[in-house]
Amino acid sequence: MSKMKTPAWILQGFNSEESYNKTKGIKSKKKIGKTFKIRKCPKCNSDNVSVVLGFDEGNGKGEWECKKCKWTGKNIDEKEVSEGEFMKYLEEKEK
């Protein structure tokens, strides 16, 4: 059996894991369970966005395009939600 390892944030003298993550630039922990991403246009807040592909298939530019307002760019609003929140979002979208 292997021994338990002391977390890095304790070894480096931080008071909490949150303060360690903040100073190291770690944004978030892994989510438990299924998670879904909702992507929205930063200009018109529409969720009708798609990836812009390059001329050769599979060689994307890394940009997004809004089908509603024709915005293109890389800084898209992305929100990660749980399965329950995603189902509620889809029900509200249908109305």
Side-chain angles (χ1 to χ4, degrees):
M1 297 190 70
S2 63
K3 295 181 181 180
M4 290 182 64
K5 188 176 179 183
T6 306
W9 64 272
I10 293 175
L11 293 174
Q12 293 182 10
F14 286 92
N15 292 333
S16 67
E17 189 175 4
E18 292 81 24
S19 62
Y20 172 77
N21 289 342
K22 188 174 181 181
T23 56
K24 294 293 181 178
I26 301 170
K27 296 197 180 201
S28 64
K29 297 188 226 177
K30 285 188 174 183
K31 304 276 182 173
I32 298 173
K34 282 192 171 186
T35 57
F36 297 88
K37 292 182 180 178
I38 299 173
R39 295 177 178 99
K40 291 189 175 186
C41 173
K43 188 174 179 183
C44 69
N45 208 24
S46 170
D47 63 347
N48 192 7
V49 292
S50 62
V51 175
V52 177
L53 293 178
F55 296 108
D56 299 329
E57 188 173 332
N59 295 333
K61 294 180 178 180
E63 290 187 351
W64 293 87
E65 176 185 26
C66 178
K67 300 293 184 182
K68 186 176 178 184
C69 70
K70 304 298 181 197
W71 170 87
T72 57
K74 292 187 178 188
N75 57 344
I76 192 162
D77 293 338
E78 192 171 283
K79 185 178 176 183
E80 197 165 309
V81 295
S82 67
E83 187 175 7
E85 292 171 332
F86 186 67
M87 295 303 288
K88 187 192 297 184
Y89 168 76
L90 289 177
E91 288 174 1
E92 290 175 3
K93 184 179 170 185
E94 287 180 6
K95 292 181 182 178

